[in-house]
Amino acid sequence: MRIYISGPITGTMDYIPRFEAAKKRLKKRFPLAEIINPAEVCRSLPESFSHADYMDICLTLLNKCEKLYLMSGWERSEGCREELGHFMNPKFRHTGVDLIQEKDLRTLHEVFCDDYCRFPREGEVFDLNSACAACPLDQLEVRR
């Protein structure tokens, strides 16, 4: 599975660390997924590229992804709205289930205590059986 990160870039100064933090959160929640970070990709492109050039590249990357992660503030970003519209185009057969919003991911992370959480910590290997019997993830069957 591939997850594309969509978030405001134009007019922001802190987009690189924000996208990197989003990538880390997604990797913890979806350890087997490939995370596509357009901020990383676009950082290496020539400065002479226009916004339309960047969007062409981003939409091409998005075409290769099964899920779209919307960072906070996506509603105010023209590029994010374009990515969402492109992703939800019926020819790609995506549904609302394929969308992950930052507020939803944070809720999952905040609800479950780190002591009983199956999410691996930095540097740990992901193990499906790592949750103990008291883990709320077992009760909610999120882990299956």
Side-chain angles (χ1 to χ4, degrees):
M1 169 177 55
R2 287 190 194 107
I3 303 172
Y4 180 91
I5 302 172
S6 179
I9 293 179
T10 303
T12 65
M13 299 292 289
D14 65 340
Y15 70 92
I16 292 173
R18 281 188 298 107
F19 273 73
E20 199 53 44
K23 183 177 178 178
K24 285 181 181 178
R25 280 195 305 274
L26 285 164
K27 203 63 183 160
K28 282 184 180 181
R29 177 66 178 92
F30 303 97
L32 303 178
E34 291 179 280
I35 311 301
I36 307 301
N37 179 349
E40 257 177 34
V41 174
C42 291
R43 182 170 49 185
S44 64
L45 298 175
E47 289 182 26
S48 63
F49 275 31
S50 68
H51 185 263
D53 293 331
Y54 286 114
M55 288 307 298
D56 285 345
I57 292 164
C58 290
L59 295 178
T60 300
L61 290 170
L62 182 56
N63 287 341
K64 307 295 182 190
C65 295
E66 292 81 27
K67 293 196 180 286
L68 173 63
Y69 175 68
L70 297 168
M71 294 174 66
S72 292
W74 70 267
E75 306 92 338
R76 296 182 301 277
S77 167
E78 182 181 323
C80 293
R81 290 193 309 269
E82 185 177 343
E83 288 168 342
L84 176 61
H86 183 82
F87 186 75
M88 295 304 290
N89 184 323
K91 76 176 186 177
F92 296 113
R93 297 188 186 135
H94 290 117
T95 66
V97 178
D98 299 321
L99 296 175
I100 307 164
Q101 293 198 35
E102 185 171 13
K103 64 181 178 64
D104 299 330
L105 192 61
R106 281 190 176 157
T107 301
L108 274 175
H109 186 68
E110 291 167 359
V111 167
F112 305 120
C113 172
D114 281 344
D115 292 337
Y116 299 105
C117 185
R118 79 175 179 93
F119 301 124
R121 289 178 178 77
E122 196 77 30
E124 290 182 344
V125 177
F126 180 71
D127 177 10
L128 282 172
N129 301 311
S130 65
C132 75
C135 181
L137 286 171
D138 287 332
Q139 296 163 22
L140 296 176
E141 297 189 17
V142 173
R143 64 197 254 124
R144 292 178 182 30

